[in-house]
Amino acid sequence: MRGLRASSLLLCGVVLIQLLAVQIDAQRPKTQWKTLSGFSPRVIARGGFSGLFPDSSLDAYNFAMQTSVLDAVLWCDLQLTKDGAGICFPDLTMSNASNVESVYPKGQSTYPVNGVPTPGWFTIDLSLRALTNVSLIRGILSRSDKFDGNGYTISTVQTVNKEMKPQGFWLNVQHDAFYAQHNLSMSNFLVSVTKTVIVDFISSPEVNFFRKIAGRFGREGPSFVFRFLEKEQFEPTTNRTYGSILSNLTFVKTFASGILVPKSYVLPLDDKQYLLPSTSLVQDAHKAGLEVFVSGFANDVDIAHDYSFDPVSEYLSFMDNGNFSVDGVLSDFPITASASVECFSHVARNATKQVDFLVISKNGASGDYPGCTNLAYEKAINDGADVIDCSVQMSSDGKPFCSSSIDLGNTTMVAQSPLRNRSTSVPEISSVNGIYTFTLTWPEIQTLTPAISNPYSRRFNMFRNPNERNSGKLLSLSEFLNLAKNSTTLSGVLISVENAAYLREKQGLDVVKAVLDALTETGYSNRTTTKVMIQSTNSSVLVDFKKQSQYETVYKVEETIRDILDSAIEDIKTFASAVVIGKSSVFPVVDGFVTGQTNVVERLQKSQLPVYVELFQNEFVSQPFDFFSDATVEINSYVTGPGINGTITEFPFTAARYRRNRCLASKETLSYMAPVQPGGLLEVVSPGSLPPAEAPNPVFTDADVTEPPLPPVTAKAPTPTPGTPSTTAPAPSGQTQLTLSLLLSVFAMVLASLLLM
């Protein structure tokens, strides 16, 4: 069977995580956890690693065990077939997570489910033998379909137990009443299967189900967990809402030892997706002697804006908030849950760094606030950035300031301001019109409202921190430098300079001189404590800086490359002391999958050139599938894999926190903190589903480095400040022509009257 073959491939080592990593749970004092037992929260893998592989496939279960804590619990949504076999499948109907429709095109039925007529392909209409022809596929369309062709078979409870031998096994019975209506008994199946299979937890949202199974398993039987659905939904056997049952936890304690609730029961959200104060549910349940398990954790769904798209932060808010800890989390991505429990819990913000690399901001913490504003820079500093950056732009009156784009339409609300008519065409910079920084004075620019960057709003409808989308103010370069100088935690600043040749030649603006003057005026020319790095994609700019100063210079390679010639490296070394490359120049990506690893980092580092990589973002859509929709997994793979020297990130907190995680101090590499094996995921994709081959990325040569020197500054007539007289006659407007015409008419009339006298 294809599913078993793929699973055996994983077992043989063709996997994402390097299986030389060992699974060792960190030893921590029991009293650190505010769980009911005092021990760390359980990691429960819903359908295995269902965020990557089809839910309930053997590969999903297998991979969950390989990448999770040692005592991870495998979750099986238990369904019954026509002949009473128990299978692991995510839903009562099968069309959403299998190819049953194409196998049995006439197999659709309609049955009442909790009183609602429901059409679909039901497990009760097919025998276990008939299901051998049906394959598992992804059930959530935003996830990769590349594993749908692997032919994963539907497994029985006994098969999952035999193949996986899990440390913990959880059976969820979602629709006992439905099966009873069709003369199939869940309780009888469970009593029978537990004679040969160790089941640790049984959950259900139906009270009557627990009444049926009460006393049938003995004292050593599984723990019973009552599953709460949404508060307004009705529990089918009591005809009470789940919200009303929640108010009587002592009643729940009469038939269950734990509860499973949606995240909103513990940490509710407002209508803008921001966190509200936590409820007292966990404390109340613990007082009643009930464990609290929380469902709904997945890395590839929208989470509260408070978490800045970071799933680790979300987990920690449920298990390490100082007030309570839930007893377990139900996750589609158990690697992230495992790392949250073992690596990032109970780690102070001032904890010792376990790995050394630079955390460099990209326009400050621009994932949380409008880039290059005071708020973005202050948050980057507070979040643990080592270096904050300023992309220098020039105003028309020669003021250097920080902005991520030379076109103010990309970074401010200028299009909605009185200055919206200042759009011009500059083909040397862009093929579309823009409102460029060098067409406005600094006082005019200071009136503009900043706008947060939303790189994934159009395609994925993902928006960053809407409450602060227009907060903060733009800073001049001098203000930026003074802000950095007053910080006690920063080790340096990075100043990015682009478009220098155009500004000199066409606008009469010398950005190099402006930067050097600002550094001198703010006292950086004499400072030894704060490192200054000048970055540019133009070698001519860095050569110019190197001639005039002793600041470090950083060369940015814009292109995605697969290799770099020795001669190009030698050229770079003549004017730069470090190099910035893109992520895909380290791990090439095709169709959302990492295809391998280049030797670019290794070659540059062998030549004593530190390598900083950009751009790291928290949004899961910014990452290949190989990193499991987790920014921390991505950072870990770049740092412990090729060993980059720094991350350039819009979310400095994520990178700074990664350095403090205690798993990096382990003598053995833990499976949930091992780097991704480049290209490993593609090895598990069926040949027919492999992405098409693409032309290889170019090799970077010395010809790509060499540039002519910067042109001299072209003298340009000064642009008048609004409200002051102009030394250059303005182009006549219609209104001026009319006034002049009237004056001439009056003058002619006066002259004629004088001649007649």
Side-chain angles (χ1 to χ4, degrees):
M1 289 184 292
R2 170 68 191 172
L4 286 174
R5 188 191 76 80
S7 185
S8 66
L9 277 176
L10 285 172
L11 286 168
C12 290
V14 187
V15 293
L16 311 178
I17 296 295
Q18 298 178 10
L19 296 185
L20 293 176
V22 296
Q23 290 179 310
I24 299 175
D25 287 319
Q27 299 298 313
R28 296 194 307 280
K30 174 180 175 181
T31 53
Q32 277 191 295
W33 292 101
K34 295 182 181 293
T35 56
L36 184 63
S37 67
F39 291 107
S40 59
R42 294 264 191 180
V43 173
I44 307 151
R46 193 189 70 83
F49 207 122
S50 54
L52 183 64
F53 295 105
D55 191 313
S56 305
S57 65
L58 289 181
D59 272 7
Y61 285 125
N62 185 15
F63 198 59
M65 293 184 65
Q66 292 173 359
T67 58
S68 304
V69 289
L70 190 62
D71 62 348
V73 179
L74 297 187
W75 166 285
C76 164
D77 279 298
L78 176 60
Q79 316 296 342
L80 296 179
T81 64
K82 183 178 183 179
D83 48 351
I87 60 172
C88 295
F89 191 83
D91 200 4
L92 194 65
T93 59
M94 303 186 67
S95 57
N96 192 46
S98 77
N99 65 346
V100 67
E101 288 188 36
S102 60
V103 177
Y104 299 109
K106 298 181 180 179
Q108 186 176 27
S109 303
T110 299
Y111 295 111
V113 179
N114 294 333
V116 179
T118 305
W121 279 255
F122 288 80
T123 62
I124 61 169
D125 291 331
L126 295 167
S127 67
L128 183 61
R129 183 172 183 177
L131 286 175
T132 60
N133 300 317
V134 178
S135 300
L136 295 165
I137 60 174
R138 63 175 177 166
I140 297 176
L141 293 180
S142 61
R143 293 173 177 171
S144 175
D145 62 351
K146 297 302 182 185
F147 307 105
D148 290 356
N150 283 11
Y152 293 122
T153 55
I154 296 171
S155 297
T156 64
V157 170
Q158 294 91 333
T159 299
V160 173
N161 179 70
K162 179 183 177 182
E163 294 291 331
M164 300 297 111
K165 298 179 175 59
Q167 292 291 313
F169 202 13
W170 187 311
L171 300 183
N172 179 57
V173 179
Q174 198 74 5
H175 296 286
D176 172 67
F178 173 83
Y179 287 107
Q181 292 167 7
H182 296 272
N183 299 315
L184 292 167
S185 174
M186 273 288 182
S187 55
N188 287 345
F189 171 80
L190 288 167
V191 171
S192 173
V193 79
T194 51
K195 293 176 181 178
T196 56
V197 174
I198 297 175
V199 177
D200 300 277
F201 299 90
I202 295 176
S203 61
S204 176
E206 299 179 5
V207 172
N208 197 47
F209 168 73
F210 291 105
R211 291 171 178 161
K212 288 182 185 179
I213 63 174
R216 300 188 66 180
F217 295 94
R219 291 185 177 180
E220 300 302 318
S223 299
F224 296 160
V225 180
F226 181 60
R227 184 175 193 180
F228 283 83
L229 304 183
E230 295 302 322
K231 291 182 180 180
E232 65 277 6
Q233 287 186 250
F234 281 87
E235 192 281 319
T237 55
T238 63
N239 203 32
R240 295 170 58 189
T241 64
Y242 287 99
S244 68
I245 296 174
L246 186 69
S247 64
N248 192 356
L249 292 176
T250 54
F251 165 67
V252 177
K253 180 62 178 173
T254 63
F255 59 83
S257 61
I259 58 175
L260 174 64
V261 299
K263 292 185 294 187
S264 60
Y265 274 50
V266 179
L267 288 172
L269 304 180
D270 66 16
D271 56 1
K272 293 183 179 180
Q273 288 293 104
Y274 285 92
L275 288 173
L276 294 170
S278 62
T279 69
S280 61
L281 173 62
V282 177
Q283 295 95 324
D284 295 342
H286 284 173
K287 287 178 184 177
L290 291 165
E291 289 190 300
V292 180
F293 303 95
V294 180
S295 63
F297 288 93
N299 295 358
D300 56 353
V301 296
D302 273 346
I303 56 179
H305 292 299
D306 310 69
Y307 302 128
S308 301
F309 304 98
D310 172 34
V312 173
S313 291
E314 182 182 41
Y315 281 112
L316 294 178
S317 71
F318 282 85
M319 62 180 65
D320 182 24
N321 57 41
N323 297 317
F324 61 82
S325 174
V326 301
D327 300 278
V329 290
L330 179 60
S331 175
D332 292 12
F333 294 82
I335 187 172
T336 305
S338 297
S340 299
V341 172
E342 296 296 330
C343 305
F344 295 104
S345 292
H346 307 121
V347 176
R349 294 188 68 151
N350 61 351
T352 303
K353 297 175 186 176
Q354 304 295 337
V355 63
D356 189 25
F357 65 91
L358 283 181
V359 175
I360 305 170
S361 76
K362 182 69 171 181
N363 307 312
S366 55
D368 294 300
Y369 290 98
C372 298
T373 60
N374 59 321
L375 296 180
Y377 289 128
E378 288 165 5
K379 189 171 195 307
I381 295 169
N382 292 334
D383 285 350
D386 301 302
V387 176
I388 58 172
D389 70 304
C390 170
S391 297
V392 175
Q393 311 299 339
M394 296 292 287
S395 65
S396 63
D397 50 350
K399 188 76 168 182
F401 68 99
C402 304
S403 177
S404 61
S405 174
I406 197 169
D407 182 355
L408 291 164
N410 296 329
T411 59
T412 71
M413 303 297 290
V414 66
Q416 286 78 45
S417 78
L419 300 171
R420 59 185 175 274
N421 61 348
R422 304 282 277 274
S423 179
T424 56
S425 173
V426 182
E428 296 94 333
I429 294 176
S430 175
S431 58
V432 297
N433 285 11
I435 302 177
Y436 294 100
T437 63
F438 50 79
T439 64
L440 273 64
T441 65
W442 176 236
E444 288 176 321
I445 292 169
Q446 287 179 295
T447 68
L448 299 177
T449 301
I452 200 167
S453 169
N454 281 304
Y456 304 108
S457 58
R458 291 186 180 179
R459 185 176 176 188
F460 300 104
N461 202 36
M462 297 177 72
F463 292 89
R464 294 172 170 177
N465 200 6
N467 281 358
E468 305 292 346
R469 63 183 179 272
N470 298 124
S471 298
K473 66 170 187 174
L474 295 176
L475 299 183
S476 68
L477 177 57
S478 295
E479 290 172 323
F480 164 83
L481 291 171
N482 283 324
L483 174 68
K485 186 169 64 173
N486 292 330
S487 167
T488 59
T489 59
L490 288 177
S491 63
V493 294
L494 184 145
I495 298 171
S496 178
V497 176
E498 301 296 339
N499 303 303
Y502 170 82
L503 291 172
R504 278 189 172 189
E505 196 169 22
K506 303 294 185 179
Q507 299 298 326
L509 297 169
D510 190 347
V511 63
V512 173
K513 182 178 184 301
V515 168
L516 291 173
D517 287 348
L519 286 165
T520 300
E521 290 165 6
T522 51
Y524 276 78
S525 57
N526 299 319
R527 286 178 67 89
T528 57
T529 54
T530 305
K531 177 166 62 174
V532 175
M533 297 187 285
I534 309 294
Q535 174 188 291
S536 183
T537 58
N538 299 117
S539 59
S540 56
V541 170
L542 300 182
V543 168
D544 210 23
F545 271 104
K546 199 170 180 65
K547 287 179 180 177
Q548 301 184 58
S549 71
Q550 298 297 314
Y551 302 123
E552 290 190 25
T553 46
V554 180
Y555 184 56
K556 180 177 176 180
V557 178
E558 279 188 295
E559 300 89 340
T560 297
I561 59 175
R562 74 174 188 271
D563 201 353
I564 184 167
L565 296 184
D566 289 338
S567 54
I569 295 175
E570 290 305 312
D571 280 355
I572 292 171
K573 288 180 68 176
T574 63
F575 60 82
S577 52
V579 176
V580 171
I581 59 175
K583 292 190 298 186
S584 293
S585 292
V586 183
F587 293 132
V589 176
V590 174
D591 203 15
F593 290 86
V594 172
T595 59
Q597 179 179 328
T598 71
N599 64 351
V600 174
V601 173
E602 179 185 5
R603 288 173 59 75
L604 289 168
Q605 288 177 340
K606 280 185 176 179
S607 296
Q608 309 304 311
L609 286 170
V611 181
Y612 310 131
V613 174
E614 71 171 28
L615 175 67
F616 288 89
Q617 299 168 313
N618 280 2
E619 290 96 340
F620 68 89
V621 294
S622 71
Q623 303 140 16
F625 292 111
D626 305 67
F627 300 129
F628 319 131
S629 304
D630 184 346
T632 299
V633 173
E634 182 180 43
I635 292 168
N636 181 58
S637 296
Y638 278 87
V639 171
T640 62
I644 65 174
N645 302 97
T647 57
I648 300 176
T649 173
E650 294 178 332
F651 297 87
F653 178 79
T654 307
R657 183 192 58 205
Y658 165 77
R659 296 187 299 192
R660 302 190 303 270
N661 92 72
R662 67 169 156 270
C663 292
L664 295 175
S666 173
K667 293 180 181 179
E668 304 287 349
T669 303
L670 303 174
S671 59
Y672 35 86
M673 198 47 63
V676 162
Q677 184 67 43
L681 186 52
L682 283 177
E683 295 288 345
V684 195
V685 174
S686 61
S689 299
L690 287 171
E694 294 186 358
N697 293 322
V699 175
F700 200 69
T701 70
D702 44 336
D704 297 309
V705 179
T706 307
E707 290 180 350
L710 285 178
V713 178
T714 302
K716 183 184 177 185
T719 304
T721 304
T724 61
S726 172
T727 55
T728 306
S733 65
Q735 184 176 353
T736 352
Q737 289 176 344
L738 178 60
T739 305
L740 184 61
S741 172
L742 288 171
L743 288 172
L744 289 173
S745 299
V746 172
F747 177 74
M749 291 172 62
V750 171
L751 182 63
S753 63
L754 289 172
L755 291 173
L756 291 172
M757 289 175 67

